Amino acid sequence: MILIDDSSAVNTIVPSNLITKLKILGLNTSLFNVFSVLPSEVDMSSPLMYGTPSSRVEGTPRSGVGGTPARQRPDLGSIRKAPQVDLHSEPPSADGAVASEQALGQKLVIWGTDVNVGTCKEKFQRFLQRFIDPTSNEDENAGLDLNEPLYMQKLEEISVVGEPVLNVNCSHVQSFDADLYRQLISYPQEVIPTFDMAVNELFFERFPDSILEHQIQVRPYNALKTRNMRSLNPEDIDQMITISGMVIRTSQLIPEMQEAFFQCQVCAFSTCVEVDRGRIAEPAVCRNCNTTHSLALIHNRSAFSDKQMIKVQESPDDMPAGQTPHTTIVYAHNDLVDKVQPGDRINITGIYRAVPMRENPRQSNVKSVYKTHIDVIHFRKTDEKRLHGLDEDSDQKLFTEERVQILKELASKPDVYDRLSSALAPSIYEHEDIKKGILLQLFGGTRKDFSQTGRGNFRAEVNILLCGDPGTSKSQLLQYVFNLVPRGQYTSGKGSSAVGLTAYVMKDPETKQLVLQTGALVLSDNGICCIDEFDKMSDSTRSVLHEVMEQQTLSIAKAGIICQLNARTSVLAAANPVESQWNPKKTTIENIQLPHTLLSRFDLIFLMLDPQDEAYDRRLAHHLVALYYQSEEQIEEEFLDMAVLKDYIAYARTYINPRLNEEASQALIEAYVDMRKIGSGRGMVSAYPRQLESLIRLAEAHAKVRFSDKVETIDVEEAKRLHREALKQSATDPRTGFVDISIITTGMSATARKRKEEVAQALKKMIQSKGKTPAMKYQQLFDDLRGQSEAAITKDMFEEALRALADEDYLTVTGKTVRLL
Amino acid sequence: MRMWFVCRFCCPAAQSNSNPEWEAKVLEYFKGQLREKESHSWVPSLNDVPLHYLKPNSLVKFRCLVQDMFDPEFYMGVYETVDPSTKANVLRCGKYKDVTECGVDLNSRNTVTAERQTFYCVPIPGESPWAKEISFLSAARVVPSTSYVPSRQKRSYEEDDDDMDTQPQKQREPHTEPHGNGDSKRQETEAPSSQTTAPSDCSSHLDLNFPLPGERGPACLVKVYEGLDSFKLNDTLEIYGILSVNPVLTVLGEEKDPSLLLLNPTESMETPEEQRAHDPPASLVPRLHMLYARPLQHNNPLLPSAPTEDQSAFVSSFLVEMASVRAELLAYLTHVLLGDGLAAEYLLLHLISNVYTRRDVLPLGKFTLNLSGCPLNSYTERLYQIVQQLVPCSYRLSMSLHTMNSMRLVPKKDYVANRLVSGALQLARNTSLFLDETQLEQGQLDSSGVRNITALGNLISWQKVDYDFSYHQMEFPCNINVLVTSEGRSLLPSDCQVPLQPQVTPPNMEEYLTTIHMAQFTSQINKFRVYLSLARTLDYSISDEVTKAVEDDFVDMRKDDPQSVTAEDLHRMLVVARLLSLSLGQTTLSRDGWMRAKHIDMLRRSRTEQQKSLNGNEP
């Protein structure tokens, strides 16, 4: 007869096209016998009817623990082999003595562990029913009532959605019952099935009518034990671990045999043998007819489960310098197959396994090496959140208590701001304000979301432009910043194209599908994009930056892929003057020849000029010479460690979200009004809302430096000072010596504009005074104007005046003649 | 000195199993023995002795570069075997071995799993022929006992200890030698080349992954047990370890029963490429179980390698004649550079330059020299040959359009084979990289060519190479002396450009250079070699007084001409001053030294300006 248990895994796993295969196999005489000899046995529960499994479910609705088929968990290995032992009896002899737990109670544990099934189950059920985490902010728990037992709500969700998987955060288990957690970590292979049992009992008690595809499986994640692939060692074998890494390769689907189906060639008796530790014990004798070696394996009636090999490489942040990254093999089973793609950054929770190299009977000695892999229980993508939602700073950088203490101590020092700024790129001399600006850029402002009111996100990132003479270590500063931040990108304007900065579509060589390859700006989302030789960039490339630098998004419409990517990146750019040497007689715009639309998007524009004064030279020389002879220790005494600085920034960025307090907002308003006042006296606008936003960002960043949750007046003061300092450098009108913001916002200083108008008026007056002459010689007019005006008039100015008059529709210029209209 | 020590230490200890100290003792013992005078030269070297002369399971050494680091592996540190006839259980040690004894009881509770890591090591890339030859000869001075003498295995430990005390020179009786006479040395010198020609045929399907094309020599899989964190990629090491060439390793790798794959897919996971990379035949890529590794500061066989009292004595004795050797070397280089004394001076400084520290991202001490105005027609090639004769490690990269477009300079991770595919920029520290830009012709660089040029630029400016890990790049700091020869100003950045001004124009360049080279005695050349390696290792400092003077000087210079003297110039002059002092064997900067540095820098600058105006006049 055919022995198939209704609840066996075969039901759900054998593919539906088996029926056609069986038809083909109908030619096989041995199988034919099945039909002819035992026709009456072919009933609804027979595997031969698998063509319509779903209809069967509808026909006989199953519910309750007994009715729902259990699904094998290849991720846990063969669990049914674990016998229970009495603690007080001799372990080896008790091997086979499986007594019922009710009879022996507490003393009974699973062999080789200290796990008692009954207690364990009870504890876990209690955990599920009682665990509350009011402070939870995980995205999985979105929409759940945090003051109700968390996992009961999840069970309810399962009953509604019908996805029989319960993810359990191990840190929750730990905070609830440390002993249970320890058992879970140490004996996952035994404890997780117990959890499964517990959760199913509970579930079907609560929701007796719900129908699930198979029984609920518990998937623990976030085991705290291990975080780094490098720290895996032989002690972790067969324990539950969580590591992070990046997927580099995934294999094709591998069907792995779970149950082998044997049939006797003589009497057609069939039997199933479960795979035990990768082996199948072939039955030597047929139980029915006692013929020896008559059983043959029937492949298409054996049960297979899906399996996939995934190679994971440790993430670059976890590695010590100078070594190559390690890789680990991970096996995903059943529905976890194809959940991840190469390039994904994931957290894996699984059981670490070491398998000895297969012993070859033909060889006397074997390699003494084990093969290691991880049977995955739970995947969690860490970069999933990057494309949507707010800053869920994925890498959840963990700080130890002591580290946090050190950082806080540092933050409480009154001169922390100066300390940090001097720790920034110590090899670069002076430029204190520039370093301070970059420091504030590294911290960034507070992210604000007004999308509900339809105004979208406000930019929190500070953009900085450095311009100045070549050889003033601009590139070095950029290189330093790029090395300091975890998500930094470094590109050179000369070598990058628009697509290199944004994104391009290419055909994947393996899958032949079109894929979007992201460029530097997208890659540095939440980081800093350093662009060297900003001025050498082509116009089309630069135009891309307009959107990125204010809206912080990138819109792409290429090859049928239309999307908007986040590019919440700070831009740190460096530009050289057009004439290779900075011309102090010209404005910033004239010197670097960048469109003012782009320049106005920079919060701070610094000039790095060679000051050419003796005291400076002396200090510079001292600094450089010291650089060359000071020993390593001396340097360390003087400056903060780069690692501390890194951690400080990471900590502040993740945990500190300062808000403006009343005084500070008042101070900001005053500052803004003052800035506007300066200009209004001379009849020009000297500040725009953009400058106010910059001030707010800078003040917030400064509060972050202090680890303060409130933006206070001192923050505003520093923001004002820095902003003024930068303006003084970059927006000073070389003709008048006044600071004039319109140089940056409109590309022309107010005085220059005024003069242009004056010239135009003078010209108009002159033409009018000449009376009605419809046409004039160009050169003649120019000479006349020069003769009349007391100020020197250049040809450029004259042409500009003509253009202005032409715009007024007063005259037209055609070739060398000027006609009045 | 042989494997049996390990056995004697391991086995009794393994049985007690409670005493892990034996492992430390083994290492201690070997380190102690190797510290003894000259003892390290008794150990045969994989670099010199062909593999088939070496006895399996014997102690050998290997001078190499860590090219790749494979994943850590777990092995049976202690395991139990069951004798099928007597049913007796025996505990055995699996450390320092690739293969277990027969009849392993996999379910034994006494099995101890331990961790080790495999490094893929290749001989130091670009090692000059002279360095190889000299190190071979010095090793051959004390004959390596490579013969297989079975009776020795049974000797007791005490006897062997005796043996060492009484025969410190290890002058073996003729019968223990493979060839038994002086000729054997000669034959063995030839042997490496003849040996490598044979595998080079088979290695067509087995890429041994040498960084530089045309390299030869044994590659080795080194199993590392201790101090995993202390090793870094591209370290140069002298490894002492136990050689394992068990043919089983090869068989295990190749034997595949496809029917078993379905049930045990673990093995089908490894692609054939990966298997080939990680389990190459042991006859081609031997395994070496590391006992002890010494990081090499240099690979110049003429210098004592270990930083011991020996070395300091050697240094102080050499310091005396440093100045005179420098003068001779300078004269020699002047001849080579066609009578240009200034260029010779700069070349000398370049040859002893060294990145001695890094300040955040800035490498200090690098001194990339651009020798412009080089005569064409194989002059650069000959110049390289002369440089190669002087430095222990060098490589000439002819920057023709074709090589730039086709050559792989930056190492790249191959995820299919799971290994780091090497590139020409994976070089040991202090290697002289000779970039020959005179070979560059007109044409277009394709994208890989542009990448290569960028990589070279990064190497020169920041002394780092960004290895390509496909999903991300990883930065590896390096310390490579780059010399660029070009016709005009190089397209690559450089610390210092010197236009060559030949004083003589020999009618036959080839002949001229050959004669100069031939005129030097080997002893003379050897002195130069020692000089260059030594000058680079000297310490250096600047006193406060001189610091002050330098600062004053800089301020004055800026006063005179603020446009042309920048911070960059001060950077360069400080490096020049440092190298100039070191080249004279002075470990502190004197005022004189500073003035000299200033002087030659001025000469150089006037020359480049002259060149500029000359070029400016040309249309």
Side-chain angles (χ1 to χ4, degrees), chain A residues 299-442:
Chain A
H299 267 284
N300 15 14
R301 295 187 62 185
S302 303
F304 291 92
S305 70
D306 295 345
K307 184 173 176 179
Q308 185 181 32
M309 186 209 67
I310 296 163
K311 270 213 170 150
V312 177
Q313 180 180 275
E314 71 184 324
S315 46
D317 326 333
D318 290 343
M319 286 168 33
Q323 300 204 353
T324 54
H326 287 177
T327 55
T328 306
I329 294 174
V330 171
Y331 288 114
H333 302 272
N334 291 335
D335 55 329
L336 290 177
V337 166
D338 273 343
K339 274 279 158 66
V340 292
Q341 254 85 55
D344 286 348
R345 284 176 190 239
I346 52 171
N347 273 335
I348 299 164
T349 305
I351 303 174
Y352 196 41
R353 307 270 192 200
V355 190
M357 292 289 244
R358 194 164 34 88
E359 209 171 357
N360 194 331
R362 275 165 291 175
Q363 261 160 15
S364 53
N365 38 18
V366 293
K367 258 173 123 175
S368 61
V369 179
Y370 292 96
K371 290 254 165 202
T372 54
H373 68 265
I374 295 170
D375 277 326
V376 65
I377 297 173
H378 187 276
F379 279 132
R380 188 186 159 95
K381 284 191 198 177
T382 49
D383 53 359
E384 207 173 32
K385 286 268 127 193
R386 277 185 61 197
L387 286 181
H388 44 82
L390 272 176
D391 179 28
E392 176 77 29
D393 215 9
S394 42
D395 307 81
Q396 314 152 325
K397 198 162 176 151
L398 278 187
F399 296 98
T400 57
E401 291 282 316
E402 304 95 77
R403 198 71 174 173
V404 172
Q405 207 52 47
I406 292 174
L407 297 180
K408 288 205 168 139
E409 230 165 73
L410 188 62
S412 64
K413 288 191 176 141
D415 60 340
V416 58
Y417 181 53
D418 294 305
R419 267 170 192 260
L420 291 179
S421 69
S422 64
L424 201 72
S427 65
I428 297 157
Y429 181 63
E430 289 232 322
H431 300 300
E432 282 305 317
D433 283 330
I434 295 174
K435 285 188 186 174
K436 280 178 179 163
I438 290 175
L439 186 73
L440 294 187
Q441 180 183 37
L442 289 170

Side-chain angles (χ1 to χ4, degrees), chain B residues 50-70:
Chain B
L51 190 58
H52 53 266
Y53 281 118
L54 291 167
K55 192 167 82 69
N57 298 334
S58 67
L59 187 69
V60 295
K61 66 180 175 188
F62 187 38
R63 192 172 64 246
C64 60
L65 171 106
V66 180
Q67 192 270 323
D68 194 4
M69 293 163 138
F70 293 157

Side-chain angles (χ1 to χ4, degrees), chain A residues 323 327 365-366 370 618 622, chain B residues 71 74 100 231 233 551-552:
Chain A
Q323 300 204 353
T327 55
N365 38 18
V366 293
Y370 292 96
R618 183 168 298 278
H622 183 75
Chain B
D71 294 331
F74 292 171
T100 58
F231 299 104
L233 201 70
E551 285 168 33
D552 289 342

Side-chain angles (χ1 to χ4, degrees), chain A residues 111 230 232-234 237 246-249 251 254-257 275 277-280 299 304 307-309 311 313-314 316 319-329 331 342-343 345 352 354-360 362-373 424-428 471-473 475-476 479-480 482-483 490 581 610-614 616-618 620-632 635 642, chain B residues 68-76 79 94 97-104 106-107 109 111 113-117 223 228-233 246 248-249 251-252 255 257 260 262-267 269-271 274 279 356-362 364-365 413 415-416 418 420 462 464 469 471-472 474-477 540-542 544 547-548 550-552 554-555 558-559 562-563 565-568 570-572 574-575 578:
Chain A
W111 188 71
R230 209 161 271 266
L232 288 178
N233 63 41
I237 289 172
M246 189 172 62
V247 179
I248 50 169
R249 246 162 69 83
S251 76
I254 307 156
E256 193 182 41
M257 193 177 273
V275 175
R277 277 171 268 178
R279 281 155 194 267
I280 293 169
H299 267 284
F304 291 92
K307 184 173 176 179
Q308 185 181 32
M309 186 209 67
K311 270 213 170 150
Q313 180 180 275
E314 71 184 324
M319 286 168 33
Q323 300 204 353
T324 54
H326 287 177
T327 55
T328 306
I329 294 174
Y331 288 114
R345 284 176 190 239
Y352 196 41
V355 190
M357 292 289 244
R358 194 164 34 88
E359 209 171 357
N360 194 331
R362 275 165 291 175
Q363 261 160 15
S364 53
N365 38 18
V366 293
K367 258 173 123 175
S368 61
V369 179
Y370 292 96
K371 290 254 165 202
T372 54
H373 68 265
L424 201 72
S427 65
I428 297 157
T472 40
S473 49
S475 308
Q476 213 181 315
Q479 194 80 17
Y480 181 87
F482 158 67
N483 276 297
Y490 185 95
Q581 196 83 30
D610 214 337
Q612 298 177 7
D613 101 73
E614 193 181 322
Y616 171 83
D617 289 346
R618 183 168 298 278
L620 173 69
H622 183 75
H623 178 82
L624 287 183
V625 178
L627 197 68
Y628 274 84
Y629 80 89
Q630 265 179 333
S631 65
E632 208 68 65
I635 292 287
M642 193 159 160
Chain B
D68 194 4
M69 293 163 138
F70 293 157
D71 294 331
E73 60 186 20
F74 292 171
Y75 68 99
M76 290 181 254
Y79 59 94
K97 285 178 189 171
D98 279 312
V99 195
T100 58
E101 313 270 327
C102 46
V104 181
L106 287 173
N107 298 321
R109 309 192 84 187
T111 307
T113 312
E115 190 179 3
R116 69 183 177 202
Q117 199 178 352
K223 307 276 180 185
L228 290 171
D229 292 338
S230 62
F231 299 104
K232 292 201 163 117
L233 201 70
N246 202 321
V248 178
L249 293 170
V251 180
L252 275 179
E255 195 166 335
D257 193 343
L260 286 167
L262 187 69
L263 293 180
N264 195 356
T266 327
E267 267 150 84
M269 289 301 97
E270 277 191 354
T271 54
E274 185 167 353
D279 283 310
Y356 61 97
T357 187
R358 280 168 197 271
R359 291 273 177 272
D360 41 67
V361 288
L362 190 73
L364 295 181
K413 179 84 176 185
Y415 284 111
V416 178
N418 195 15
L420 188 66
W462 308 108
K464 63 164 191 182
F469 278 81
Y471 300 96
H472 57 93
M474 219 145 69
E475 190 181 303
F476 283 89
Y540 175 74
S541 65
I542 308 177
D544 287 345
T547 309
K548 191 86 188 55
V550 170
E551 285 168 33
D552 289 342
F554 179 68
V555 174
R558 293 269 301 177
K559 241 190 241 160
Q563 291 299 317
V565 183
T566 61
E568 211 123 291
L570 183 59
H571 267 292
R572 187 184 51 246
L574 282 166
V575 176
R578 175 195 153 88

Side-chain angles (χ1 to χ4, degrees), chain B residues 330-345 375 379 383 499-506 509 512-513 516 607:
Chain B
L330 191 62
Y332 174 58
L333 288 179
T334 310
H335 277 301
V336 169
L337 292 173
L338 309 173
D340 186 342
L342 186 69
E345 184 101 32
Y379 171 74
L383 182 62
L500 193 66
Q501 287 184 346
Q503 306 297 315
V504 285
T505 38
M509 191 73 80
Y512 171 80
L513 289 172
I516 294 172
R607 201 185 264 195

Side-chain angles (χ1 to χ4, degrees), chain B residues 128-142:
Chain B
S128 304
W130 65 265
K132 282 183 185 154
E133 194 178 330
I134 292 174
S135 71
F136 171 74
L137 289 176
S138 67
R141 198 157 26 99
V142 276

